[in-house]
Structures are given as structure tokens and as C-alpha cells.
């Protein structure tokens, strides 16, 4: 990514009359990212990044508010959708132009009618630069300047780091919006390949074409171009292998044969190979291994076509499969009796639809463990099976609804080739398959109601257990879900939990165990990590454990340090990265306050803003489960979360910023105590 790291010049724009900073660079041709002066900036939560990608796709054009809401919420917006969009726009404006006054729209992102418009300056937008380079290449090609045109095509294609907007395009609306731009890439790659063949320089585009073709493996015209370029560059065996890979996937997933372009590309490879062999038999390529199509005729010596699937094959009911996908239960489960009694009471009730129970709570508090234990405990009454689905992938991103539905349908016996393409069709098929079934569905790590609703089965005899960090009150309003907050265990339960996990030969010294529990803030995950350390080092008693835990400079350093999924720090990172810029700043500054709880005015003094704005940010932090409202208007957080906030404050905020916030807090507290300042 090119960045301008020297002092930014001031440039006037014709459209807005404002100023822009040429050191600002954005990337949407791949994962959505943005830099200023070579330093990457945080674009905020997923929906805010998606809004930025949409505005970049329409740079220089107005995008209406109705369309923004439709795309961001996939046609199912909350009542507060417009307010949320306004908040995202404000955050993006501060990010793009931090020097602009709070109520000034600036030059980059301006209000246009009922929507918004982002500037189409090519120095900021890689998409605009790509289109400009392609236009220049086409002009050069028409003028007969083929070599120069090819160089311009290469520069244009090098701007792409992946499909447009990376993994943000999850809904059918976003796919339709962003796929148009992806088609521009594939068309440009084809033009560059044709030009490279014309000037006899296939190697000049080979590496680019390999990478781009991997992003759309069933794009037959694109794969045909790759086959031709590989052949022209002397890679005949790889060219045949590419053809066979596409052919196999088309057959296995769709029961289709390759189209005429791809078949013609293969014939050309074989024809050239036969001609070369006649001239020199040693040049004949060794054909790539190709799976045989059992029971099919091979009348065509160049290409054997697989038979088309018979009409009605996909209408045959799938073989009955009883899924049993629950993760293993803990050997010893301690506590949570109140929560388990609540669930049992809900399950016993007569209902007209599936029982949905949504558990919420902070990271590491044991929501998933409780849900899995409940599912195992209740599974005897649900003879049609148990489905488990983690709605967050290994990288921490939300699992797209189409992918989630595909996973469930495959587990219910639907062949991959029979999966409907449209989301609505997958939902309908899922509900048909689960109608009347006594089945448990456990949806782990949900973030929004939009993730959950399509996955609720169509059966009054079913049970759906949902875990999430923020509460999901919308699920209660729309699906009649029962909300179950999962808090920290009591001190007694925490002691029982730790004692049950410690090796049998470790003495249970109550006072020392209580000190360890206090150090862990009663967080079940932290207690489990301490017990695991004791198991790893036989002979290590509670007193020695406590000594080891106290030696580290930060409480979080006392636990896993490799950043793995068992590290509490890595769990908090996920919640923190979903925050708006202002809420993230407030979270860090809370570390300056020594009390365990804070009020809205205290937080307002830290930020130097009005109470009503601060209350909105505190609500955002509470919804992320980084803090909780312990009493009306009073908020607290767990000790390890506060330790994480202290780490972030030291690493992110300058000494001057920390000092200014501390002085504002000090003045406020003195004023509250009656001192004149």
C-alpha cells in the first residue's frame, strides 16, 4: 500500500471547497483498511467498516439513508438504525479529519440530500486509482501502445489484495453491490491476459493471474485465461491441472461440465502439445492426474463430459441423520444451580414455538460451558439430536448467515450440490427439515439478533440455547426468547470451582485459595487456568501458586501469554475492537479511576464531554460486557478487565492525554467534595 509520509500539503477540492490530506490512504480492494502518514487507523466495528466500504464503492455519488440501512441490516433494521448510521458517520469523519470541529462535516464525507457522499480523490481511494489506471491502459491499447498498456494493467491489478471489502460482504445486498466491482477486476485480468498473449509476455501477468483466479475458482472465463497463460509461459502440466481441478469441482458440487471457453483452452493446450511432440517427442507433457467419472462414456478423446443430474434428483429426501455435535461436557461441573433451575423451568412450559434461551455475559464468565452442560443434561428429552454452531470463526469474525445455514443443512444430510443458493431458500429448507423435531440447537458466540433469527428451527418441540456477550433483548421481543444473564460466581462457588479443578494432592488452604480467587476476580476462565498450572507442575501448592501469580508485573501476565484462545487478554481484545473510537477511549481512561465503580459524571469528567454523550458511550461499553451497570447510573468492571484497560491506556494514550484526563477527574472530585477550584 502506497503511503505519503512527508508533511501533507493542503489541497482544495472542487466538489466541496474544503481541504484534504494527501497522506490519507484507504484500501477496499481486499480487507478494508486505512492509513494516515503510514500508520494504520482503526476503522471501528464491522458495520462501520461495511458502511465505509459501501461509501468507497460509490465514491463521488450520493448513497441514500434508506439504502444504507437496507444494506447494513440486510432488510431487517432495528428501530434505532438511522441513529446508529449517524454515529458511524460521525466516527468516520473524526477518523478521516481529526482536526475538523465536531459539528463540521469536513471535506471527505459530506451530507448530500437524505444520504452521504464520500470524495472520490484518487490519492485516498485505491478503487479510484484502479479505475484510472484501467482507463489509461485501455487508451494506450487503442493507440497501439501495447507494452505501455500492459504495464498499466499490471499496476492496476497489483492494487488488489483480495476480493472487494474482504470478508465484509455477507448479506445478499452487499454481495450484489460489491460483486459488480469484483467483476471489474476479473474483466481487467482477462484484458491484461489477452494483451500479454498478444505481446508474447505471458510471464508478465502469470503471478497476478494465479492470485486473482484463486479468489474465484469457478469463474470459467477467468480460469480459461489462466490455462492459456500457463500454457504460453511453458507450464503445460499446471495448465491441465487447473482445468481438471475446475472440472472436478463443477461435477462434484453442481453436476455440470465445463463450458466452451474452458474446454477450448484445454484443447488448445493439447493441440500445441501434440504439435510440439511431432517436432520433438521429448517435449510431450505428462498429463495431470484426472479423476475418472465412474460409469460414464468417454467417447470424446479430448474431453469426457459428465452426465447431467436427472431432473428430480435434488428433490429426493436426504437420508435421516441424527446430529450429535455438542462439544464434550466438563468431567466435573460446579455451581450455576440458579441458572440451571431457570432453564429447566422454562423448558417445562407449554409453548407454541421453540424454546429460545439467550445467555449473555462477559468474556470468560462461562456462558459456553454452562450452555454445553445444559444441552448435555437435557439431551435425553430431545431424541432428534443436537446441533452446535460457533457463530464466530477462528479469526474472531462473524460467521456469515449463508455459511451458517450451509453448515447446519450439511449436518442434516443435505448434499453440498443440493444447497440452495439464496439465503431465503436455505432458511426455508432448514425450517422444513426441523418442523416438529425434538432437537437442541446451541448457537455459541452470537453477536446480533440478525445472526440468530434465521437459525431458529421451526418446531414447538425444539430448544435453542444462545450465548452472546451483549444481551439480545430484540430476540426476546421477536422470538419470545428468555434472557438469562450469566454473572460472576459467588466467592463460595468460585472456591468450590477452583478446589474441584485442582489436583487431588494439592492441599485446599482456604485462605490462600481466597487470595487466588480475588486475584482472578472470580472469573471462571482465570480460575481454570490457575488450576491447569497446578496440574502442570506437580507439587505446586496454593501458596507457591499465589507467589508465582504475584510476581508478574500485570495481572493478565499471570495467565496464558501466547495470545491463544485461552488467554483472557485475547477475549477482551475481541470486545474492545468492536467499540467505537469514543467508547474505546472511555474504556481506557476508566483505568485512571481507582474506585471499583464509576458514575456518568465521573466518566464525563475523564472525557471532558457532556453527561448525555457519556451515558451513550457507557451504554455501548455495557452492551459489549466490558462493564456492567451494578446500580442505576453506576457502572463497574471485573478486575482483569480493568487490568486490560490499564495496559491499553499505557500503550495507546500519550502522557499528555493521560495527564489531562486525570486533572479533569481530580478537579471534578474536588468540586464534588466542596472544594473551591
Amino acid at each position: 500500500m502506497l503511503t505519503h509520509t512527508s508533511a501533507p500539503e493542503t489541497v482544495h477540492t472542487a466538489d466541496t471547497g474544503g481541504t484534504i490530506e494527501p497522506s490519507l490512504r484507504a484500501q477496499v480492494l481486499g480487507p478494508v483498511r486505512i492509513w494516515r502518514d503510514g500508520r494504520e487507523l482503526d476503522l471501528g466495528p464491522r458495520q462501520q467498516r461495511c458502511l465505509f466500504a459501501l461509501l468507497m464503492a460509490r465514491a463521488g455519488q450520493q448513497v441514500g439513508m434508506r439504502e444504507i440501512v437496507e444494506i447494513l441490516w440486510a432488510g431487517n433494521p432495528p428501530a434505532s438504525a438511522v441513529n446508529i448510521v449517524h454515529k458511524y458517520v460521525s466516527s468516520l469523519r473524526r477518523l478521516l479529519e481529526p482536526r475538523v470541529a465536531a459539528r463540521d462535516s469536513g471535506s471527505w464525507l459530506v451530507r448530500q440530500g437524505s444520504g452521504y457522499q464520500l470524495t472520490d480523490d484518487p490519492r485516498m481511494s485505491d478503487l479510484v486509482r484502479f479505475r484510472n489506471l484501467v482507463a489509461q491502459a485501455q487508451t494506450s491499447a487503442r493507440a497501439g501502445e501495447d507494452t505501455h498498456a500492459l504495464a498499466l494493467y499490471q499496476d492496476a491489478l497489483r492494487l488488489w489484495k483480495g476480493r472487494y471489502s474482504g470478508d465484509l460482504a455477507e448479506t445478499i445486498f452487499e454481495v450484489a453491490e460489491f460483486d459488480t466491482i469484483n467483476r471489474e477486476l476479473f474483466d481487467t485480468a482477462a484484458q491484461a491476459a489477452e494483451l500479454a498473449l498478444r505481446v508474447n509476455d505471458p510471464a508478465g501477468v502469470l503471478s497476478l493471474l494465479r492470485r486473482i483466479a484463486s479468489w474465484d475458482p469457478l469463474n470459467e472465463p477467468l480460469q480459461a485465461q489462466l490455462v492459456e497463460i500457463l500454457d504460453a509461459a511453458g507450464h503445460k502440466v499446471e495448465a491441465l491441472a487447473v482445468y481438471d481441478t475446475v472440472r472436478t469441482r463443477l461435477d462434484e458440487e453442481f453436476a455440470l461440465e465445463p463450458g466452451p471457453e474452458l474446454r477450448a483452452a484445454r484443447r488448445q493446450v493439447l493441440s500445441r502439445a501434440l504439435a510440439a511432440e511431432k517436432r520433438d517427442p521429448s517435449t510431450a507433457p505428462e498429463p495431470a492426474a484426472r479423476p475418472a467419472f465412474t460409469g460414464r462414456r468417454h467417447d470424446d478423446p479430448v474431453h469426457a463430459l459428465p452426465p447431467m443430474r436427472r431432473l428430480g434428483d435434488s428433490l429426493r429426501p436426504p437420508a435421516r441423520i441424527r446430529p450429535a455435535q455438542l462439544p464434550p461436557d466438563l468431567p466435573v461441573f460446579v455451581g450455576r444451580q440458579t441458572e440451571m433451575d431457570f432453564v429447566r423451568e422454562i423448558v417445562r412450559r407449554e409453548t407454541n414455538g421453540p424454546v429460545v434461551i439467550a445467555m449473555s455475559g462477559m468474556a470468560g464468565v462461562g456462558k459456553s460451558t454452562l450452555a454445553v452442560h445444559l444441552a448435555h443434561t437435557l439431551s435425553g428429552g430431545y431424541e432428534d439430536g443436537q446441533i452446535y454452531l460457533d457463530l464466530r470463526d477462528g479469526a474472531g469474525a462473524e460467521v456469515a448467515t449463508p455459511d451458517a445455514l450451509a453448515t447446519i443443512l450439511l449436518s442434516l444430510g443435505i448434499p453440498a450440490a443440493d444447497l440452495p443458493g439464496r439465503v431465503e431458500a436455505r432458511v426455508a429448507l432448514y425450517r422444513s427439515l426441523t418442523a416438529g423435531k425434538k432437537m437442541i440447537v446451541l448457537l455459541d458466540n452470537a453477536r446480533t439478533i440478525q445472526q440468530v433469527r434465521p437459525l431458529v428451527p421451526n418446531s414447538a418441540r425444539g430448544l435453542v440455547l444462545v450465548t452472546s456477550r451483549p444481551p439480545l433483548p430484540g430476540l426476546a421481543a421477536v422470538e419470545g426468547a428468555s434472557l438469562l444473564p450469566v454473572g460472576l460466581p459467588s466467592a463460595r462457588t468460585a472456591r468450590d470451582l477452583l478446589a474441584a479443578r485442582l489436583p487431588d494432592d494439592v492441599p485446599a488452604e482456604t485462605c490462600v485459595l481466597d487470595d487466588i480467587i480475588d486475584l482472578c476476580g472470580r472469573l471462571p476462565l482465570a480460575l481454570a487456568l490457575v488450576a491447569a498450572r497446578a496440574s502442570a507442575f506437580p507439587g505446586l501448592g496454593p501458596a507457591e501458586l499465589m507467589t508465582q501469580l504475584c510476581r508478574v508485573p500485570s495481572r493478565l501476565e499471570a495467565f496464558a501469554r501466547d495470545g491463544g484462545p485461552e488467554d483472557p487478554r485475547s477475549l477482551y481484545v475481541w470486545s474492545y475492537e468492536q467499540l467505537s473510537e469514543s467508547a474505546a477511549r472511555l474504556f481506557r481512561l476508566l483505568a485512571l479511576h481507582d474506585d471499583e465503580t464509576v458514575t456518568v459524571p465521573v466518566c464525563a469528567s475523564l472525557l471532558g464531554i457532556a453527561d448525555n454523550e457519556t451515558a451513550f458511550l457507557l451504554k455501548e461499553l455495557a452492551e459489549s460486557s466490558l462493564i456492567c451497570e451494578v446500580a442505576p447510573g453506576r457502572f463497574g468492571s471485573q478486575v482483569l478487565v480493568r487490568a486490560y484497560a490499564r495496559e491499553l491506556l499505557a500503550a495507546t494514550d500519550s502522557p499528555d492525554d493521560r495527564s489531562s484526563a486525570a486533572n479533569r477527574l481530580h478537579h471534578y472530585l474536588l468540586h464534588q467534595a466542596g472544594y473551591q477550584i
Side-chain angles (χ1 to χ4, degrees):
M1 190 62 169
L2 298 176
T3 56
H4 184 95
T5 56
S6 60
E9 59 178 323
T10 299
V11 180
H12 291 275
T13 60
D15 291 339
T16 65
T19 61
I20 60 174
E21 300 178 65
S23 58
L24 197 64
R25 295 287 183 267
Q27 172 185 291
V28 285
L29 304 183
V32 181
R33 304 170 70 184
I34 192 167
W35 294 262
R36 179 183 289 108
D37 295 323
R39 178 175 176 267
E40 185 166 2
L41 307 177
D42 181 6
L43 266 169
R46 184 180 189 84
Q47 277 190 316
Q48 185 170 302
R49 288 184 286 129
C50 194
L51 172 60
F52 181 72
L54 174 62
L55 293 169
M56 286 283 284
R58 305 269 193 86
Q61 306 172 41
Q62 178 207 16
V63 185
M65 177 63 75
R66 180 176 296 181
E67 186 176 8
I68 290 173
V69 169
E70 184 78 4
I71 288 174
L72 291 188
W73 282 277
N76 188 25
S80 59
V82 173
N83 290 333
I84 295 173
V85 172
H86 289 321
K87 185 185 78 167
Y88 289 158
V89 169
S90 297
S91 296
L92 289 173
R93 281 174 172 164
R94 289 194 299 271
L95 192 70
L96 296 170
E97 297 179 273
R99 300 186 190 92
V100 173
R103 298 190 181 278
D104 192 344
S105 63
S107 306
W108 285 106
L109 180 53
V110 297
R111 187 70 181 259
Q112 288 286 342
S114 62
Y116 294 95
Q117 178 177 321
L118 190 67
T119 182
D120 59 351
D121 191 283
R123 290 167 298 176
M124 194 266 276
S125 170
D126 56 348
L127 175 59
V128 175
R129 291 200 303 280
F130 166 75
R131 286 170 171 167
N132 288 347
L133 285 167
V134 171
Q136 294 170 29
Q138 291 169 343
T139 300
S140 294
R142 285 193 296 269
E145 301 169 355
D146 289 350
T147 302
H148 183 235
L150 182 59
L152 290 169
Y153 276 127
Q154 290 168 329
D155 288 342
L157 295 175
R158 288 191 187 101
L159 291 173
W160 287 78
K161 313 301 180 186
R163 295 176 70 95
Y164 187 84
S165 79
D167 62 346
L168 290 181
E170 288 191 348
T171 70
I172 188 169
F173 305 99
E174 292 166 346
V175 167
E177 180 69 37
F178 298 158
D179 268 3
T180 301
I181 300 173
N182 287 326
R183 285 195 294 273
E184 289 184 46
L185 165 66
F186 301 137
D187 291 344
T188 301
Q191 293 167 24
E194 290 176 5
L195 191 58
L197 292 172
R198 192 159 71 229
V199 301
N200 196 28
D201 185 19
V205 297
L206 179 55
S207 61
L208 288 167
L209 199 58
R210 274 196 185 111
R211 183 161 56 95
I212 294 167
S214 70
W215 301 335
D216 198 355
L218 295 182
N219 183 326
E220 293 188 58
L222 183 62
Q223 299 299 328
Q225 290 282 2
L226 178 58
V227 169
E228 291 182 18
I229 289 291
L230 285 166
D231 178 41
H235 303 282
K236 299 186 186 300
V237 173
E238 185 181 352
L240 294 172
V242 168
Y243 171 87
D244 285 330
T245 299
V246 178
R247 175 194 179 196
T248 301
R249 285 196 60 177
L250 287 171
D251 174 69
E252 291 179 349
E253 297 181 24
F254 305 103
L256 295 174
E257 76 276 11
E261 290 176 281
L262 197 54
R263 293 204 305 271
R266 179 175 182 268
R267 288 192 182 96
Q268 183 173 294
V269 175
L270 294 176
S271 298
R272 288 178 177 172
L274 289 171
E277 184 181 4
K278 289 177 181 178
R279 293 192 300 269
D280 182 1
S282 65
T283 63
E286 182 178 342
R290 185 175 73 203
F293 292 96
T294 307
R296 300 172 182 177
R297 295 181 60 189
H298 294 263
D299 300 328
D300 182 354
V302 176
H303 175 68
L305 299 180
M308 297 297 294
R309 179 169 297 171
R310 293 189 305 273
L311 181 64
D313 279 359
S314 61
L315 303 179
R316 297 172 184 170
R320 186 178 186 277
I321 292 179
R322 182 185 183 275
Q325 300 176 345
L326 294 177
D329 199 359
L330 285 178
V332 178
F333 186 88
V334 176
R336 302 295 187 194
Q337 194 59 49
T338 300
E339 291 88 346
M340 293 175 66
D341 289 344
F342 172 85
V343 172
R344 289 192 181 99
E345 174 61 27
I346 297 297
V347 168
R348 279 196 291 265
R349 297 175 185 171
E350 291 290 332
T351 62
N352 295 321
V355 173
V356 181
I357 298 174
M359 309 178 198
S360 61
M362 66 180 299
V365 81
K367 306 179 295 296
S368 299
T369 301
L370 172 60
V372 169
H373 180 69
L374 279 166
H376 278 287
T377 302
L378 300 171
S379 61
Y382 296 87
E383 63 268 16
D384 291 313
Q386 314 95 38
I387 291 173
Y388 172 85
L389 190 62
D390 191 340
L391 295 179
R392 198 169 72 234
D393 65 21
E398 297 176 21
V399 173
T401 299
D403 294 338
L405 286 164
T407 300
I408 292 178
L409 291 172
L410 290 171
S411 72
L412 292 174
I414 299 297
D418 291 339
L419 289 176
R422 295 173 60 246
V423 175
E424 294 84 351
R426 292 186 181 187
V427 172
L429 179 58
Y430 171 53
R431 289 174 178 168
S432 297
L433 292 173
T434 56
K437 296 295 178 84
K438 296 196 72 175
M439 181 177 289
I440 295 177
V441 178
L442 201 169
L443 304 174
D444 206 5
N445 290 314
R447 186 169 170 232
T448 65
I449 179 178
Q450 287 78 15
Q451 276 187 297
V452 175
R453 287 195 66 197
L455 308 179
V456 175
N458 180 25
S459 174
R461 306 167 71 197
L463 170 63
V464 182
L465 301 175
V466 183
T467 72
S468 65
R469 294 185 191 178
L472 300 176
L475 202 60
V478 178
E479 299 290 347
S482 299
L483 304 183
L484 176 58
V486 180
L488 293 168
S490 65
R492 178 175 179 178
T493 301
R495 190 185 309 120
D496 293 342
L497 189 157
L498 182 57
R501 300 288 289 267
L502 287 171
D504 293 337
D505 58 350
V506 174
E509 303 169 20
T510 302
C511 60
V512 181
L513 291 183
D514 287 344
D515 290 339
I516 293 175
I517 290 167
D518 289 341
L519 186 71
C520 296
R522 307 202 314 271
L523 189 70
L525 174 62
L527 295 172
L529 291 171
V530 169
R533 179 173 297 183
S535 300
F537 298 98
L540 193 65
E544 291 80 5
L545 268 176
M546 187 65 189
T547 301
Q548 282 192 7
L549 295 174
C550 290
R551 282 177 182 166
V552 295
S554 165
R555 285 203 183 193
L556 288 173
E557 291 298 323
F559 305 101
R561 305 179 193 178
D562 60 358
E566 75 283 0
D567 184 347
R569 186 185 286 107
S570 69
L571 299 178
Y572 303 146
V573 167
W574 187 85
S575 293
Y576 176 76
E577 288 180 345
Q578 312 307 311
L579 298 174
S580 66
E581 183 181 352
S582 297
R585 179 168 177 256
L586 173 57
F587 175 69
R588 299 191 303 270
L589 292 179
L590 288 177
L592 295 172
H593 191 51
D594 293 332
D595 290 353
E596 292 186 358
T597 61
V598 294
T599 61
V600 173
V602 165
C603 296
S605 70
L606 284 169
L607 291 170
I609 62 175
D611 285 5
N612 59 341
E613 295 179 66
T614 305
F616 183 83
L617 298 176
L618 284 167
K619 179 182 178 183
E620 183 179 348
L621 289 176
E623 288 176 348
S624 73
S625 295
L626 288 170
I627 66 173
C628 61
E629 191 168 12
V630 297
R634 183 169 290 275
F635 299 83
S637 59
Q638 198 261 353
V639 293
L640 296 182
V641 176
R642 294 200 295 273
Y644 178 58
R646 284 192 292 273
E647 289 185 357
L648 288 173
L649 182 69
T652 305
D653 297 86
S654 68
D656 288 345
D657 288 343
R658 297 198 297 268
S659 177
S660 297
N663 286 337
R664 289 193 298 268
L665 174 63
H666 181 64
H667 288 173
Y668 169 78
L669 294 176
L670 287 176
H671 178 74
Q672 289 298 104
Y675 290 94
Q676 296 297 322
I677 302 173

